[in-house]
Amino acid sequence: MDYKRFDNKIVLRLKKGEKIIESLEKLANEANISAAHFQGIGAVNELKIGLMKPGDDDYTWDIHKENLEITSLIGNITTFEDKKVVHTHITCANENSKVIGGHLGEAICSFTVEIFIDLIDGKLEKQTDPELGIQIIEF
């Protein structure tokens, strides 16, 4: 992965074989990012996406091993118990223009992935909501 910082923005470029979530977590730790929003485009050939239903303890995961074009990658970087947290949703299209999407568990870059990160001055922290059973941003 390569990245360059421009004031309160970072442009991150992934190379073939690199993982999206793993790279974003590495960047968040290297650049000490505690609050950010990002969006991106690119291509992947392995994708793990999920959906969490109310009352479930974990996501229901689907694995796709095919060439996919990222039509939308969006998410945020926050902290939970002093650990950087990357929360991402993705939408991809296959060669038949069929679109799939959901919560991104992980994806492997097949050509390149370009992510534009808007840094937020400050720290966004998540806490576990006991009623929902998930981590949510608390102010």
Side-chain angles (χ1 to χ4, degrees), residues 95-135:
E95 62 184 33
N96 298 318
S97 300
K98 179 183 173 192
V99 177
I100 54 174
H103 175 85
L104 179 59
E106 190 55 275
I108 299 175
C109 177
S110 60
F111 289 107
T112 189
V113 174
E114 301 164 340
I115 303 172
F116 294 78
I117 303 162
D118 293 312
L119 303 175
I120 298 169
D121 185 27
K123 185 176 184 179
L124 287 174
E125 294 189 60
K126 288 192 170 189
Q127 294 181 354
T128 301
D129 182 302
E131 183 180 333
L132 299 174
I134 61 171
Q135 300 165 5

